[in-house]
Amino acid sequence: MKNEENINTDSSNMQELDQMRQQMALLKHSLDRQLVVSDKLMRQSMKGKLQWIKQMVWFEIIATPLLIIFFVIEAMQLELSMGPVVMLAVILAVSVTADYIINVKRAPDFMAGTLVATQEQLLSMKRLRMWSFAINLPLSLIWAAWFIIDMYMRLPVGHVIDTAHSAALTGGIVGGSIGLVAGLVVAVVILRKMQKTNDSIIDQIKDLGGD
């Protein structure tokens, strides 16, 4: 009888252990699924934060040809040289290409790869943006100076505003100067916002132990 009781007890214990293992396996599977879902949502959130930058780059690509056409027409109407227009076209083409490569083509694939690799890509984007800005800034200032001086040199002797043409030149000089300052301010604000967006994602990765 005692042997039978011991056998029954052992069998009961084995069943309980087996049930516990099954419960643990189910719990582990459930936790794994929750982690996968959480990781996917987190990566989608990171991807969404960079979306406005990509949209801005596509806007640049569309707006650049229109801006070049505008300056071509402006130069023809004001009888200016085409040198500044050609320089502007080159600067814009190089700038937009660089923006596309840095912010779209080289943007991290948040849905694949490790967070460490993603963090390195985000830091690389920040460095490349600063290099691009450091190159474009002096070139843009040189172009603006050339364009404004070209209009100034075509004003009548004594700079008397006596015709519609001279009035348009004067308006171009004033408007160009104001536009230059406003453009620089906007460029710096956008650059800072882009860098802060990357910093926000990098901080999120660090909080998750991705560093």
Side-chain angles (χ1 to χ4, degrees):
M1 291 291 293
K2 289 184 178 180
N3 290 335
E4 290 181 2
E5 288 179 359
N6 290 334
I7 291 171
N8 291 333
T9 301
D10 291 341
S11 176
S12 176
N13 290 338
M14 290 295 293
Q15 288 178 354
E16 289 179 1
L17 286 172
D18 188 55
Q19 289 176 354
M20 288 179 64
R21 290 193 192 98
Q22 290 178 1
Q23 290 176 355
M24 290 297 294
L26 288 172
L27 180 60
K28 183 178 182 300
H29 179 67
S30 176
L31 288 173
D32 288 343
R33 289 187 62 184
Q34 289 179 8
L35 287 173
V36 169
V37 172
S38 178
D39 181 71
K40 186 177 180 180
L41 291 174
M42 176 197 65
R43 290 173 182 268
Q44 288 176 341
S45 172
M46 292 178 182
K47 183 178 180 180
K49 287 182 179 180
L50 278 184
Q51 197 60 33
W52 75 269
I53 298 177
K54 292 183 178 181
Q55 291 173 350
M56 186 196 67
V57 172
W58 286 113
F59 174 77
E60 282 183 63
I61 292 172
I62 295 171
T64 293
L66 300 177
L67 187 61
I68 293 172
I69 292 171
F70 168 78
F71 274 96
V72 169
I73 295 173
E74 191 77 4
M76 292 174 65
Q77 289 180 339
L78 297 177
E79 300 176 359
L80 303 174
S81 64
M82 284 294 166
V85 178
V86 173
M87 183 179 181
L88 174 66
V90 172
I91 292 173
L92 290 177
V94 172
S95 177
V96 170
T97 301
D99 283 345
Y100 174 79
I101 292 173
I102 295 169
N103 299 299
V104 178
K105 192 172 183 180
R106 296 192 56 167
D109 183 1
F110 290 99
M111 306 312 293
T114 65
L115 291 178
V116 174
T118 299
Q119 181 178 335
E120 287 300 321
Q121 285 179 289
L122 291 167
L123 290 170
S124 176
M125 287 173 69
K126 289 186 62 181
R127 289 191 294 267
L128 290 172
R129 284 186 197 135
M130 291 305 299
W131 274 106
S132 179
F133 183 77
I135 293 171
N136 283 323
L137 179 59
L139 291 176
S140 299
L141 291 175
I142 292 170
W143 167 79
W146 188 5
F147 193 71
I148 291 172
I149 290 172
D150 190 27
M151 287 188 289
Y152 181 81
M153 296 298 293
R154 294 174 192 277
L155 283 172
V157 178
H159 304 155
V160 179
I161 305 174
D162 55 354
T163 63
H165 182 257
S166 61
L169 286 170
T170 303
I173 293 170
V174 175
S177 301
I178 295 173
L180 173 62
V181 176
L184 289 174
V185 172
V186 170
V188 171
V189 169
I190 291 175
L191 176 63
R192 285 174 57 86
K193 186 177 179 181
M194 290 167 71
Q195 301 294 67
K196 285 182 178 180
T197 298
N198 280 45
D199 288 337
S200 174
I201 301 173
I202 291 169
D203 289 340
Q204 189 175 351
I205 292 173
K206 288 181 177 180
D207 289 340
L208 293 167
D211 57 345

